[in-house]
Amino acid sequence: MALFRLIGTGGVIAYRALFNWTTPAMFIGSLLVGPIFQLLFFAYLGRQLGVADDRFYIVGNAVLAASLSCVFGGTMAVANERRFGTLGHVLLSPRSRTAVFLGRVLPYAGNGLLIAVSTLTVGALLLGLRVPPEALPALLATLAVAALSCGFFGLTLGALGLRFRDVWVVSNVSVALLLLLTGVNVPAAELPGWMRAVGEGMPITHAAGAARRLVAGEGFAAAAPALAAEAAVGLGYALLAALLLRVFEAESRRRASLDTM
Amino acid sequence: MSLLRMIGVGALLHTKQLSRSPFEIATALIVPVVQATLAVHLFRAGGEPGRLLEAAVGAGLMGVWSSVLFGSGGAIQNQRWQGTLEMLMLAPRPPALVIFPITLSTAVTGTYAMLATLLWGRLLYGVPLTFAHPLLFLVAAPGCVLGLGMFGLLLASTFVLMRNANALANTLEYPIWLVSGMLVPLTVLPGWTGPIAAALPTTWGARAVHEAASGGPVWPSLGICLAISLGCLASGALMMTYVERRARAAATLALA
């Protein structure tokens, strides 16, 4: 119980502390409106080139919408502690730092889920997509798994922040790579084999496939394998993040490089 | 002459400073290349291999805009964080003239994006760099950069009123890409976006560069881009003076 409290309450407190720069207007403008324009950009481009229909872009970009806040949030969960000068205090804690950091992903994943749902709803209303009502619970679960997966991916990048100074470069490039490699905007069949292979190991890829099946009315059974693959990718990043955090924490203590900016 | 020299030296100084930042370089080089790759694959998937130059140029323009948007949006905040804002505001020149070289340098840094996407397209995808008006391209691209630099001053002066301008800049990236026709032709957008597009210097700058690459009358578009940008520069200068006086009166210049 104490562990769950540490994960839950600790995550929420850290979210409020590290996400303190935003205001409601900023949140709506940056995190809710921005992804809608991203969706419209690719939908119109796809329409003009005749690459895929609106459904492809609405669903894909709605899943992708979770990534921005989750990847940057996961990175912030570690990197901003260093920036604000509080990382040492966290690492001095007698409790499990792995649990502390993994718990921080949860509020950001919740945030990402809210953004994905909002983007899907507005995108569907603006471009006229009908989602089968019976698909909604599974679709919500898919978006939640995608958000968690992105959050753990972000935490993995954040763990690099214990070792490298310019971790935001890595985050920016990673978010751009998610656009390219996950098959959200370019159908996977049109990408070279190595790009598809890299995409298979990134968050979003499988969730987008599952969400597209659900919206097409193929049912949960058809989407389940892709959803399971997305969950496996997310779990993989969670384990990788936990490992990197432990290794880099130990190394930063050994090299006395904890607060190096 | 001293005015031009001041702007030139200031822009050079800030460009040098930006060019030492791994974050700025990586963002200006790698992200546009990823976007160019995305555009190339999308155009190929759409059966438009003849328009790959358009895709590379469009992705480069997107990179220039991102650089201006985030650079100008964060221009004041960055100076504040570095502890140099007070010294800039104490300079015996109008504040707009001191900040303008910073916004111009963000646009100049953004040209890395254009060069990177063109080289990437040529080397990796064999995109033929056969410009319809090669010499005019060399005029249109810097003209577009100058125009966006002037537009950047208006952004900088507006964003200075906001505590976290970078977060707001996130919101403005895709809408301007979309409405300015940098990659998506304006003809496929809803009709109501037309007047918005026509009022933006980015639309005319992008059109001038695309026309230089693919064919069309470059000068009118470039002229309109620079005319609107001059209007933005004047508005930005007025706003910057107002903001500076307000910050001095309220003693909030150094407050984040």
Side-chain angles (χ1 to χ4, degrees):
Chain A
M1 184 54 74
L3 181 67
F4 286 117
R5 189 168 173 275
L6 176 69
I7 290 173
T9 312
V12 170
I13 290 173
Y15 175 83
R16 288 174 61 190
L18 298 173
F19 208 61
N20 66 351
W21 47 269
T22 194
T23 60
M26 196 79 73
F27 182 88
I28 292 168
S30 184
L31 292 176
L32 295 184
V33 176
I36 292 166
F37 277 104
Q38 181 172 330
L39 182 154
L40 292 174
F41 178 84
F42 284 106
Y44 280 114
L45 185 59
R47 266 188 199 178
Q48 192 257 332
L49 294 171
V51 175
D53 58 10
D54 284 356
R55 189 175 68 195
F56 179 87
Y57 286 102
I58 295 169
V59 177
N61 282 285
V63 180
L64 184 68
S67 70
L68 186 71
S69 70
C70 291
V71 173
F72 283 111
T75 308
M76 246 167 43
V78 182
N80 270 8
E81 291 281 7
R82 175 185 256 183
R83 184 185 178 94
F84 296 165
T86 49
L87 183 59
H89 299 80
V90 176
L91 298 186
L92 276 174
S93 164
R95 306 293 299 275
S96 161
R97 265 86 63 204
T98 304
V100 166
F101 281 117
L102 289 180
R104 289 184 176 190
V105 168
L106 298 179
Y108 288 108
N111 206 7
L113 177 62
L114 172 71
I115 294 164
V117 169
S118 143
T119 307
L120 181 63
T121 308
V122 176
L125 289 173
L126 285 177
L127 298 179
L129 173 74
R130 189 184 168 278
V131 180
E134 63 277 11
L136 289 176
L139 191 56
L140 196 63
T142 304
L143 295 177
V145 172
L148 265 176
S149 184
C150 281
F152 287 125
F153 178 65
L155 191 65
T156 306
L157 302 181
L160 298 177
L162 288 179
R163 183 68 186 83
F164 303 104
R165 282 189 296 173
D166 268 318
V167 71
W168 296 109
V169 174
V170 182
S171 299
N172 272 324
V173 172
S174 299
V175 166
L177 285 174
L178 285 174
L179 275 176
L180 172 65
L181 300 173
T182 54
V184 165
N185 289 308
V186 186
E190 304 289 345
L191 291 171
W194 69 269
M195 282 193 190
R196 279 203 304 274
V198 176
E200 294 283 314
M202 296 192 86
I204 299 292
T205 304
H206 303 286
R212 283 180 181 133
R213 285 178 181 275
L214 290 167
V215 172
E218 293 179 27
F220 181 72
L227 190 54
E230 183 70 32
V233 169
L235 186 63
Y237 280 115
L239 294 173
L240 183 60
L243 177 70
L244 289 179
L245 284 166
R246 287 183 76 91
V247 170
F248 290 146
E249 181 192 334
E251 191 181 279
S252 64
R253 286 176 189 266
R254 187 172 57 80
R255 294 161 58 104
S257 60
L258 197 62
D259 289 323
T260 307
M261 290 296 288
Chain B
M1 182 55 73
S2 68
L3 181 70
L4 288 177
R5 185 174 175 277
M6 182 202 153
I7 293 172
V9 170
L12 182 65
L13 172 76
H14 290 291
T15 304
K16 279 183 175 176
Q17 190 185 2
L18 289 173
S19 72
R20 302 306 191 267
S21 159
F23 178 81
E24 296 290 344
I25 297 298
T27 308
L29 285 180
I30 301 174
V31 174
V33 159
V34 174
Q35 283 162 346
T37 310
L38 175 69
V40 164
H41 283 292
L42 266 173
F43 276 65
R44 276 184 176 174
E48 302 273 6
R51 291 172 60 196
L52 293 184
L53 178 61
E54 193 184 321
V57 169
L61 284 166
M62 286 159 60
V64 177
W65 168 243
S66 297
S67 180
V68 169
L69 179 63
F70 290 105
S72 301
I76 300 288
Q77 188 70 284
N78 288 339
Q79 298 301 321
R80 188 180 276 138
W81 282 341
Q82 290 166 18
T84 48
L85 184 59
E86 292 91 338
M87 284 179 270
L88 286 178
M89 290 302 156
L90 277 174
R93 289 280 196 174
L97 277 180
V98 185
I99 301 299
F100 176 52
I102 301 178
T103 66
L104 189 56
S105 70
T106 63
V108 171
T109 310
T111 55
Y112 293 163
M114 178 70 80
L115 292 172
T117 56
L118 290 177
L119 277 175
W120 182 259
R122 179 77 194 106
L123 295 175
L124 203 72
Y125 293 99
V127 177
L129 300 183
T130 46
F131 299 100
H133 308 293
L135 291 178
L136 280 183
F137 185 82
L138 295 178
V139 177
C144 177
V145 165
L146 179 66
L148 292 189
M150 291 194 270
F151 186 35
L153 183 73
L154 181 59
L155 292 176
S157 61
T158 310
F159 284 12
V160 75
L161 294 170
M162 300 171 191
R163 189 166 163 237
N164 278 291
N166 277 338
L168 183 73
N170 288 330
T171 316
L172 288 177
E173 194 173 38
Y174 274 94
I176 301 293
W177 285 352
L178 182 66
V179 175
S180 302
M182 291 183 181
L183 202 60
V184 183
L186 296 177
T187 48
V188 300
L189 300 181
W192 59 265
T193 59
I196 300 171
L200 290 170
T202 47
T203 306
W204 298 99
R207 181 182 288 190
V209 175
H210 274 303
E211 284 169 340
S214 310
V218 177
W219 289 113
S221 307
L222 188 59
I224 295 172
C225 167
L226 291 175
I228 298 176
S229 297
L230 275 171
C232 293
L233 184 68
S235 309
L238 288 174
M239 175 74 86
M240 190 65 78
T241 304
Y242 165 74
V243 167
E244 183 235 14
R245 285 183 183 164
R246 208 179 76 155
R248 281 177 188 245
T252 55
L253 194 61
L255 300 181

